[in-house]
Amino acid sequence: MENSKFFEREINLIQSEDYRMFVRYYLDNYCPSYFWEIGASSSGKYHPPFSQGVGGLVRHTKAVVMFAEELLRMSSYMYMSDEHKDYVIMACILHDTCKYGIEEFDKEEYKNHAKNAAKLVDKAWVQYF
């Protein structure tokens, strides 16, 4: 099974077919393997219990998308363009994919996780498009 299947519901919130296909491509070909296995927090200090343990980072990511989806339904956001809403959902799905490094798990890379995710998404984007 392709890993992107874990996010099928969330990916289908993206209106653009190109963007949906890109997110699938990224998750299946670029996302570090540890992403699918680890908890959202190594200490348990900053994330709720449901996001701890095996698969916790995936559950955390799904929850982030769920909250974003609800916020986008609010009147102050409902007039955003579909493209901008797509960016929000994509960012929510991809934001923690490099939480502990771009390829190998390295706890020291946590401080760079946003920058690392941006680098890897950019690399995949160039390859895909």
Side-chain angles (χ1 to χ4, degrees), residues 1-4 6-7 25-39 53-58 96-106 120:
M1 177 171 88
E2 295 156 333
N3 286 327
S4 62
F6 287 107
F7 287 100
Y25 171 76
Y26 176 87
L27 292 173
D28 292 336
N29 298 289
Y30 282 84
C31 187
S33 60
Y34 69 79
F35 171 82
W36 307 100
E37 301 163 2
I38 65 170
V54 175
L57 189 52
V58 170
D96 267 347
T97 55
C98 295
K99 190 156 190 165
Y100 295 109
I102 290 178
E103 292 177 20
E104 301 295 321
F105 182 94
D106 180 355
L120 194 57

Side-chain angles (χ1 to χ4, degrees), residues 14-107:
I14 300 168
Q15 297 296 308
S16 164
E17 178 65 22
D18 286 339
Y19 293 167
R20 283 194 306 267
M21 295 302 293
F22 170 74
V23 171
R24 287 185 184 103
Y25 171 76
Y26 176 87
L27 292 173
D28 292 336
N29 298 289
Y30 282 84
C31 187
S33 60
Y34 69 79
F35 171 82
W36 307 100
E37 301 163 2
I38 65 170
S41 172
S42 60
S43 68
K45 198 171 171 181
Y46 300 108
H47 292 78
F50 78 83
S51 64
Q52 301 306 311
V54 175
L57 189 52
V58 170
R59 291 189 299 276
H60 160 78
T61 301
K62 290 172 85 58
V64 169
V65 175
M66 178 192 70
F67 288 117
E69 180 184 12
E70 290 301 313
L71 288 171
L72 290 172
R73 287 187 184 139
M74 295 172 65
S75 61
S76 55
Y77 299 107
M78 66 188 313
Y79 299 106
M80 285 175 63
S81 69
D82 285 346
E83 186 171 27
H84 286 130
K85 289 177 184 178
D86 285 353
Y87 294 156
V88 170
I89 300 300
M90 290 171 60
C92 290
I93 294 170
L94 303 175
H95 82 283
D96 267 347
T97 55
C98 295
K99 190 156 190 165
Y100 295 109
I102 290 178
E103 292 177 20
E104 301 295 321
F105 182 94
D106 180 355
K107 206 168 183 177

